[in-house]
CSV table of all heavy atoms in Angstrom, one decimal:
chain,number,residue,atom,x,y,z
A,25,CYS,N,-38.8,22.9,17.2
A,25,CYS,CA,-38.5,24.3,17.2
A,25,CYS,C,-39.7,25.1,17.7
A,25,CYS,O,-39.6,26.2,18.3
A,25,CYS,CB,-38.0,24.8,16.0
A,25,CYS,SG,-36.5,24.2,15.4
A,30,THR,N,-40.1,27.1,27.7
A,30,THR,CA,-40.1,27.6,29.0
A,30,THR,C,-40.8,26.9,30.1
A,30,THR,O,-41.8,26.2,29.7
A,30,THR,CB,-40.8,29.0,28.8
A,30,THR,OG1,-42.1,28.9,28.3
A,30,THR,CG2,-39.9,30.0,27.9
A,31,SER,N,-40.7,27.3,31.2
A,31,SER,CA,-41.3,26.4,32.4
A,31,SER,C,-42.6,27.2,32.7
A,31,SER,O,-42.7,28.4,32.5
A,31,SER,CB,-40.4,26.4,33.5
A,31,SER,OG,-41.0,26.1,34.6
A,82,ALA,N,-24.8,50.3,43.5
A,82,ALA,CA,-26.2,50.2,42.7
A,82,ALA,C,-26.6,48.7,42.8
A,82,ALA,O,-25.6,47.8,42.9
A,82,ALA,CB,-26.1,50.6,41.3
A,94,GLN,N,-32.7,27.6,39.6
A,94,GLN,CA,-32.8,27.0,40.8
A,94,GLN,C,-33.3,28.2,41.8
A,94,GLN,O,-33.8,27.8,42.9
A,94,GLN,CB,-31.3,26.7,41.3
A,94,GLN,CG,-31.3,25.8,42.6
A,94,GLN,CD,-32.0,24.5,42.6
A,94,GLN,OE1,-32.2,24.0,41.6
A,94,GLN,NE2,-32.4,24.1,43.8
A,100,THR,N,-41.8,41.8,39.1
A,100,THR,CA,-43.0,42.5,39.0
A,100,THR,C,-42.9,43.3,37.8
A,100,THR,O,-41.9,43.7,37.1
A,100,THR,CB,-43.1,43.4,40.2
A,100,THR,OG1,-44.4,44.0,40.4
A,100,THR,CG2,-42.1,44.5,40.3
A,101,THR,N,-44.2,43.8,37.3
A,101,THR,CA,-44.2,44.6,36.3
A,101,THR,C,-45.1,45.9,36.7
A,101,THR,O,-45.2,46.8,35.9
A,101,THR,CB,-45.2,44.1,35.1
A,101,THR,OG1,-46.3,43.6,35.7
A,101,THR,CG2,-44.4,42.9,34.5
A,151,GLY,N,-25.1,26.9,50.5
A,151,GLY,CA,-23.8,27.2,50.0
A,151,GLY,C,-23.1,28.4,50.8
A,151,GLY,O,-22.0,28.9,50.4
A,170,ALA,N,-30.9,24.8,59.3
A,170,ALA,CA,-30.5,25.3,58.1
A,170,ALA,C,-29.4,24.5,57.3
A,170,ALA,O,-28.7,23.7,58.0
A,170,ALA,CB,-29.8,26.8,58.2
A,172,SER,N,-26.3,24.9,55.6
A,172,SER,CA,-25.2,25.7,55.2
A,172,SER,C,-24.3,25.2,54.2
A,172,SER,O,-23.5,26.0,53.6
A,172,SER,CB,-24.5,26.1,56.5
A,172,SER,OG,-23.9,25.1,57.1
Side-chain angles (χ1 to χ4, degrees):
C25 290
T30 58
S31 168
Q94 189 70 22
T100 189
T101 59
S172 60

